[in-house]
Amino acid sequence: MALIDVSEYENVNISSIDSQHLRIIKIINTLHDVMGFEADNTIKVLLKQYSKVLQKSFETEEKYMKQVNVVNYISHKLEHDRYLKKIADYTEKVDSGSAVVDEGFVKSLRNWFINHQEFKDKKIGKVLYSKGIR
Ligand SMILES: [Fe+2]
Ligand SMILES: [Fe+2]
């Protein structure tokens, strides 16, 4: 069973943000499916993809937030920046063999995503939608 049920994903109603969120979910689900089965190299490649997709998604949201002057831009961006750093640090540890992608780690990815989506992204989605952005 997928770690994150895509059918339960609640859209923010901004198409580029939603499609990037779905890519994030897909990588989290894939990591969950293959951890412990696939070679370390596959896991490392997936982690790198995860960083790239996150970065792209954050850039999109930040561009829109600046465009419409969203009030909580700074705190939202800070949350993005801190998370990218956290993932980069973990990736480095996995690369050097001092950390592994396990159940706990993959669940932490899911939790961050769901939390961030609920308390940050849905809010900007509403603001953007009200300004006519789709
Ligand atoms: Fe997001
Ligand atoms: Fe965000």
Side-chain angles (χ1 to χ4, degrees):
M1 208 179 114
L3 188 64
I4 302 175
D5 187 349
V6 175
S7 67
E8 279 172 25
Y9 171 73
E10 288 177 52
N11 285 316
V12 297
N13 294 317
I14 309 300
S15 61
S16 54
I17 295 178
D18 283 322
S19 64
Q20 284 164 347
H21 280 174
L22 289 171
R23 291 183 66 200
I24 292 172
I25 291 173
K26 205 175 162 191
I27 297 182
I28 295 175
N29 281 338
T30 306
L31 271 171
H32 186 247
D33 287 344
V34 305
M35 63 176 193
F37 297 106
E38 284 291 346
D40 284 357
N41 224 24
T42 308
I43 305 282
K44 286 174 188 170
V45 169
L46 279 166
L47 265 185
K48 267 148 211 152
Q49 276 176 10
Y50 184 62
S51 274
K52 272 191 197 154
V53 170
L54 276 181
Q55 202 161 359
K56 191 108 187 94
S57 169
F58 293 167
E59 277 168 12
T60 303
E61 291 178 8
E62 288 160 17
K63 180 194 78 185
Y64 280 138
M65 285 194 275
K66 273 202 268 184
Q67 198 178 314
V68 301
N69 272 317
V70 168
V71 272
N72 295 324
Y73 173 77
I74 301 286
S75 68
H76 194 147
K77 180 167 171 31
L78 209 65
E79 210 168 292
H80 287 169
D81 291 347
R82 283 202 190 113
Y83 191 59
L84 276 179
K85 171 87 172 73
K86 199 178 158 191
I87 297 301
D89 288 347
Y90 202 85
T91 302
E92 222 169 86
K93 284 188 183 167
V94 171
D95 279 341
S96 70
S98 63
V100 286
V101 170
D102 56 11
E103 186 84 21
F105 175 72
V106 182
K107 281 191 170 156
S108 79
L109 301 184
R110 178 193 63 183
N111 293 344
W112 188 88
F113 177 79
I114 290 172
N115 234 342
H116 184 82
Q117 154 88 355
E118 190 60 34
F119 296 106
K120 297 276 188 215
D121 293 346
K122 277 190 189 169
K123 283 185 185 135
I124 61 164
K126 276 188 193 134
V127 178
L128 296 174
Y129 196 86
S130 74
K131 307 264 182 190
I133 295 168
R134 301 290 185 271

